[in-house]
Every structure is written in structure tokens, then in C-alpha cells.
Amino acid sequence: MTPALKFWLAFGLAIVADQIIKQCILHGVRYEGPVISIVLAYNEGVAFSMLHFLGVWLKYLQVVLLVGLGVFLWRQKALFQENALPFGLVLGAGVSNVLDRFVHGHVIDYVYWHYKFDFAIFNLADVLIDVGVGLLILKSFKAKDKQSKL
């Protein structure tokens, strides 16, 4: 599979999966569990509601950041080809959350961890961004380990 295909599959699946789940939540799907609950929450900021004070400008800032990352990857072809899957996850999930801001005025969050401690309510896009960044970090550590063995 080519790097471009990996990127576009990850990008598209991140958006589609996240948006489908968000539509289910908006249409009333809920779950109350002992560890995780599925609830409806509106996030006007980013992680842990940070930057909510930016209001409507936050979505434009995020668009600039996503476009900037896209342009950077376009110009850094080797980096893109080596990391197409994680970048596809990060950009696709980021686009999905920004799409929420334009359509709903805020991000739709729904996963609430409440076992032993209360955690911020988050969504699949947030998880996919974390997975993508985690894959990039893991790959970086593996590359450094490989270099140190040479």
C-alpha cells in the first residue's frame, strides 16, 4: 500500500467514524457504566476546555494549524512517506473536530471516564490524535535506538 493511500484511508476513516459516532450521540445514544459512560457534552475549547476564551476564533486558528501541517508535510515528502498513517489519523481527527465547530459551534464530546477519578470528557477524534502522536513518538524512539546501535 502506498503512503498516500495509507494517509487518505486513515484520514477518511478518522472523519467518518468520529462523525458517525457523534451523530449517534446527538440522536440520544447514552450509556451509564461503572468505568466509562457515554454522555453528551459540548466542548468550546480544546483539550480540557483550554482556549475556550478564543470563542469563534478558535476554529479559524485550528484551520490554520491543520493547513500549516498539511503544507509542511507536502514539502517534507520523506517525512510524510515514513509517517503517512499517523499523520492521516492526526489530520483526519483534527478535521473532524474542526468540522464540529463549523457545524455545531463546538466539539461534540461523549466518552466520560469516571472510575476512581473524574477525567475530561472526550471523543474518538481525540483518541485518534493521541494514537497518531503516540505512533510518531514510538517511531522516533525506534529510530534513535537504531542509530545508537550503529
Side-chain angles (χ1 to χ4, degrees):
M1 183 180 308
T2 67
L5 183 57
K6 283 182 190 177
F7 173 84
W8 288 112
L9 281 174
F11 182 88
L13 286 173
I15 294 171
V16 169
D18 186 55
Q19 290 298 314
I20 287 172
I21 293 171
K22 287 174 178 174
Q23 285 303 309
C24 292
I25 300 305
L26 288 171
H27 286 89
V29 171
R30 303 290 186 275
Y31 169 75
E32 206 52 50
V35 176
I36 292 176
S37 293
I38 303 300
V39 300
L40 172 61
Y42 303 125
N43 187 351
E44 295 184 6
V46 292
F48 307 104
S49 294
M50 291 185 302
L51 304 179
H52 72 279
F53 62 88
L54 291 173
V56 70
W57 293 104
L58 180 56
K59 65 185 172 187
Y60 299 112
L61 173 62
Q62 288 180 306
V63 167
V64 168
L65 291 173
L66 288 168
V67 169
L69 180 57
V71 169
F72 173 78
L73 291 174
W74 178 260
R75 300 182 82 179
Q76 301 294 318
K77 295 192 186 320
L79 179 66
F80 170 77
Q81 289 179 348
E82 293 171 13
N83 300 288
L85 176 67
F87 282 126
L89 292 174
V90 169
L91 285 170
V95 166
S96 186
N97 276 343
V98 171
L99 180 62
D100 282 3
R101 292 190 192 284
F102 280 95
V103 173
H104 305 292
H106 44 255
V107 174
I108 306 300
D109 284 338
Y110 47 84
V111 178
Y112 174 45
W113 175 283
H114 51 79
Y115 179 71
K116 295 193 179 189
F117 62 92
D118 284 336
F119 193 73
I121 302 173
F122 56 96
N123 60 42
L124 178 62
D126 300 334
V127 172
L128 294 176
I129 290 169
D130 291 342
V131 168
V133 170
L135 289 171
L136 290 167
I137 291 169
L138 183 63
K139 198 162 193 175
S140 172
F141 283 139
K142 285 184 176 182
K144 285 182 182 178
D145 188 44
K146 188 187 278 188
Q147 285 179 347
S148 68
K149 289 181 181 179
L150 294 179

